[in-house]
Amino acid sequence: VFISRMQYAKDLLLKTDYSAKEIALMCGYQNYEHFSRSFTKYACVSPVQYRSKYKEPVDWITLLNSADC
């Protein structure tokens, strides 16, 4: 259960703009500090650091130019 929660949190951190506190709640943690400690033990970085390190920036110009509108 722990690993699946952490993987879900990693996916949400990379694929959404939800705050880390919102993601903690979505993963079943009522206490953000507990979530953050658990995530840090699992991923070796905090949730916020994980997002800033691994999330791909959106290239809005390319995205908008490729839209079929």
Side-chain angles (χ1 to χ4, degrees):
V1 174
F2 173 76
I3 292 173
S4 61
R5 279 184 176 188
M6 293 296 106
Q7 189 59 50
Y8 183 53
K10 286 169 72 173
D11 289 343
L12 290 172
L13 286 164
L14 297 182
K15 297 177 182 175
T16 72
D17 289 324
Y18 291 120
S19 72
K21 288 182 181 182
E22 291 172 312
I23 291 172
L25 289 172
M26 295 169 77
C27 292
Y29 288 86
Q30 299 303 312
N31 181 293
Y32 173 72
E33 288 76 18
H34 180 65
F35 166 74
S36 183
R37 282 192 304 272
S38 297
F39 187 92
T40 301
K41 284 182 182 179
Y42 176 75
C44 298
V45 292
S46 74
V48 174
Q49 291 170 328
Y50 182 83
R51 175 178 272 163
S52 66
K53 186 174 181 177
Y54 295 108
K55 187 170 184 176
E56 295 284 328
V58 175
D59 182 357
W60 288 105
I61 294 172
T62 302
L63 185 64
L64 292 173
N65 287 337
S66 65
D68 294 329
C69 296

